[in-house]
């Protein structure tokens, strides 16, 4: 991966995530970042449906620590999943 597909710099903060989910998309991949039970959760799922309408079995989750480093790791994970699953779609 030469350049990240998803950066989120200046778009999101941990303070934001403590209050609400952050959803976005990158071409055919949608993603959701949220805090649940003291962990930063990242989830990816395919388009075309929104989070609520996408079946659970189509969502992939990963857990991270709630910190700046955890948020950076979550963004790295989103890019890795995008490149592995969605780039050629």
């Amino acid at each position: 991966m030469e350049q990240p597909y998803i950066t989120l710099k200046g778009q999101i903060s941990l303070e934001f995530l403590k209050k609400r989910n952050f959803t976005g998309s990158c071409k055919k991949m949608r993603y959701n970042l949220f805090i649940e039970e003291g962990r930063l959760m990242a989830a990816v799922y395919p388009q075309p449906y929104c989070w609520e309408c996408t079946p659970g079995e189509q969502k992939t989750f990963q857990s991270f620590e709630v910190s700046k480093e955890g948020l950076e790791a979550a963004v790295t994970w989103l890019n890795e999943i995008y490149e592995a699953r969605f780039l050629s779609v």
Side-chain angles (χ1 to χ4, degrees):
M1 177 171 53
E2 290 180 22
Q3 175 177 311
Y5 304 100
I6 302 166
T7 61
L8 303 186
K9 290 197 187 288
Q11 296 181 41
I12 189 172
S13 69
L14 291 174
E15 292 305 313
F16 178 90
L17 288 174
K18 289 177 182 175
K19 296 177 184 170
R20 60 182 307 158
N21 292 15
F22 181 85
T23 59
S25 65
C26 184
K27 303 201 182 197
K28 299 210 181 257
M29 181 184 88
R30 293 186 182 227
Y31 55 88
N32 191 354
L33 297 168
F34 55 97
I35 295 177
E36 182 177 85
E37 297 180 5
R39 298 290 293 170
L40 171 60
M41 301 298 296
V44 297
Y45 54 104
Q47 287 194 31
Y49 303 114
C50 68
W51 176 256
E52 293 80 12
C53 295
T54 300
E57 62 271 7
Q58 292 183 9
K59 299 174 184 175
T60 302
F61 295 86
Q62 184 66 39
S63 170
F64 302 91
E65 67 179 53
V66 179
S67 67
K68 179 183 175 193
E69 294 79 15
L71 183 54
E72 290 169 359
V75 171
T76 297
W77 180 79
L78 290 174
N79 282 300
E80 289 170 353
I81 294 295
Y82 175 75
E83 191 170 77
R85 295 188 196 169
F86 295 92
L87 187 59
S88 62
V89 175

